[in-house]
Amino acid sequence: MKHIFIVAALALLTACTQTPDWDYDKSANFSNYKTFAWVENASLTKDTNNYQISGLMEKRVRNAVNNQLSQQLGMQLVDVAQADVLVNYHASVDKELEVDSFNVGYGARWGYWGTGFNHDVSAREYEVGTLVIDIIDRESNQLIWRGAKDGRLKKKQTPSQREAAIKETVANILSNFPPKAQQ
């Protein structure tokens, strides 16, 4: 029983992760990168059949990345041949299990000896989506920066809610591009 509680606690902590994960090449000179383009065969919908990763979602993610790099970072979207860096992205959806275990009561009776505990365990399956954004040095064709974020997917959202969620997620992922502290 102790192991179930530990697994459930770890699953809950993992599901609640709000900080994106970043990695980058410390030898890359990020100040040289002023222009960007998309990898020619970049596709969010390739190799997935989840209904939430659709052409509509792909368009929202591309627009959010373009706006973040252009408006927030001052980079310019250009043709692939003129770009300093190329942008690629990936998305996946995994199923997670949330388990709750708790005592729901304690009782004692008059007239005879005895006590009792009521114990309840419940499990729920939910989907976790992960968005990965890669930045590739066009000249060397080497990955120089990667950011990723995962979160619990919400169903029954309006298109406006989905767009707002994507904008927030992309801004959060790209908040450390270029890396603030190159250590």
Side-chain angles (χ1 to χ4, degrees), residues 2 25 39-40 43 71 75-76 78 92 121 126-127 141 150 155 159:
K2 182 179 180 182
D25 181 351
V39 169
E40 288 185 27
S43 174
Q71 296 173 4
M75 296 181 75
Q76 183 180 2
V78 296
S92 66
V121 176
Y126 61 93
E127 293 181 327
N141 200 33
D150 60 2
K155 295 182 180 181

Side-chain angles (χ1 to χ4, degrees), residues 24-37:
Y24 60 92
D25 181 351
K26 293 191 312 186
S27 67
N29 186 353
F30 288 90
S31 63
N32 289 340
Y33 302 127
K34 307 290 185 212
T35 59
F36 72 98

Side-chain angles (χ1 to χ4, degrees), residues 83-125:
D84 297 325
V85 295
L86 301 175
V87 180
N88 198 9
Y89 56 179
H90 319 276
S92 66
V93 176
D94 297 308
K95 293 195 183 290
E96 296 285 334
L97 185 64
E98 182 176 72
V99 179
D100 292 323
S101 175
F102 54 92
N103 292 323
V104 293
Y106 169 80
R109 302 254 181 191
W110 292 98
Y112 61 89
W113 294 95
T115 61
F117 289 96
N118 294 324
H119 189 73
D120 189 32
V121 176
S122 65
R124 289 172 297 288
E125 187 176 72

